[in-house]
Amino acid sequence: MSSEQSGKHGFETRAIHAGYEPDPTTGAVIPPIYATSTYKQDGVGGMRNGYEYSRSGNPTRTALEANLAALEEGERGFAFASGLAAEDTLLRALARPGDHVVIPDDAYGGTYRLVDKVARPWGLEHTPAPVSDVDAVRAAIRPGATKLVWVETPTNPLLSIGDIEALAGVAHEAGALLVVDNTFASSYLQQPLTLGADVVVHSTTKYAGGHSDVVGGALVVRDLEVAEQVAFFQNSIGGVAGPFDSWLVLRGLRTLALRMERHCDNAELVAAHLAAHPAVAEVIYPGLESHPGHAVAARQMKRFGGIVSFRVAAGEQAALDLCAATELFTLGESLGGVESLIEHPGRMTHASVAGTELEVPGDLVRLSVGIETGADLVADLDQALERVAG
């Protein structure tokens, strides 16, 4: 399906068809895994469809990148070996030593580590700000120096919601670009580029791949000039997605819509149940009307996602014990797979922000709610909470 055709179809149709036409020789409806590093040229410089070396381009990766662009309604997509490889490439493509970026004050720990421990010594300065507070983000901007306003919405792990349209206005007024990490929402639930964002970031390891069997990242941009910059740095740095990894993510995207509906069904069930549980001090989920960002999330998201965070009333040790007491929820990092996961952000995914202004509460537990039978997940949490309370 061409880019012109994909714009006329719904999300589910684009997820299955965009980026690849059935093979003209065999009629294969699934893109092959082009396990090749190089390509025969028809004379010196006579490349076939622009392919010369698989760091610069690979047909399987091309299919994935076109599919990602279609799903996010962007001009061009880029696939990487990991989410952090995508982030690093973006920072180096669009910022220089002496520049400044605004980041979330509860950013993913890996993003903070990249910005603070890698990019800051390189000369890139940063200021954290709450994505839910447009005025605070505006105040964090340094006129003339801020090149990127970087937000997650929902954030990881506190699920704060940023108003993408309002934040885009603030960034653009300052001459900066708005970058939105759309990993937690997924392309199905939210399309930031249509709301004014300039670049979308994904860890395709998560909902895009969806089966916990691949590590990858992606960028989708809406401006062709930005695309050229990103393309140059993607090729120059070389942290690209391999053909098999590209194929796995492309496979996952075909069922993204179906999976996200089930993730959301189960997350809503779990959040409502935990909100009424005496062992739980607070449930953080944008789908609850008690969430301060509920109205914004309802406006810019199709549904509210598959991540639920909550605070255990008995404190940090009880939260740690709870993580070890579940049976269906697997204790592990990452998220977005078909299986349910539980983790303690303060000791696991966000250990790198301990002792900083981004430190998360010790009694916080994060759930990646999978697509199992919802009642079974609720029962598992109940038995674990009972064991901790007992």
Side-chain angles (χ1 to χ4, degrees), residues 279 310-325 342 344 362-365 384-385 387-389:
F310 65 98
R311 301 182 70 170
V312 179
E316 181 172 11
Q317 187 56 52
L320 292 167
D321 293 341
L322 176 68
C323 289
I342 187 170
H344 185 272
D363 57 5
L364 186 74
V365 172
L385 286 165
R387 287 169 62 183
V388 171

Side-chain angles (χ1 to χ4, degrees), residues 87-232:
E87 293 186 9
D88 183 53
T89 300
L90 184 64
L91 288 173
R92 295 182 187 279
L94 300 183
R96 297 292 180 269
D99 288 343
H100 174 260
V101 299
V102 179
I103 64 171
D105 68 348
D106 61 335
Y108 163 54
T111 298
Y112 177 77
R113 182 174 58 236
L114 173 65
V115 171
D116 187 62
K117 307 301 183 187
V118 178
R120 186 168 59 85
W122 176 59
L124 183 63
E125 299 183 1
H126 67 274
T127 301
V131 302
S132 58
D133 187 336
V134 175
D135 290 334
V137 172
R138 181 183 289 109
I141 290 174
R142 299 179 187 176
T146 301
K147 302 303 180 185
L148 302 173
V149 175
W150 190 297
V151 303
E152 302 169 10
T153 181
T155 60
N156 179 9
L158 295 176
L159 303 180
S160 297
I161 300 296
D163 185 327
I164 295 171
E165 190 170 6
L167 291 167
V170 168
H172 296 158
E173 286 172 7
L177 300 180
L178 179 67
V179 177
V180 177
D181 187 331
N182 204 29
T183 298
F184 267 37
S186 83
S187 303
Y188 176 67
L189 297 181
Q190 181 173 267
Q191 293 86 39
L193 299 181
T194 67
L195 298 170
D198 300 285
V199 184
V200 166
V201 178
H202 281 282
S203 169
T204 55
T205 309
K206 313 304 193 298
Y207 289 112
H211 293 78
S212 300
D213 56 8
V214 63
V215 173
L219 302 173
V220 181
V221 304
R222 68 170 186 164
D223 179 84
L224 289 176
E225 184 177 343
V226 173
E228 289 302 314
Q229 293 173 273
V230 172
F232 177 81

Side-chain angles (χ1 to χ4, degrees), residues 1-7 17-19 21:
M1 180 190 293
S2 68
S3 58
E4 292 79 9
Q5 291 173 318
S6 68
H17 294 286
E21 296 285 347

Side-chain angles (χ1 to χ4, degrees), residues 9 11 37 41 93 105 157 164 226 231 249 306 310 340:
H9 294 93
F11 185 93
S37 60
Q41 297 190 16
D105 68 348
I164 295 171
V226 173
V249 175
F310 65 98
S340 293

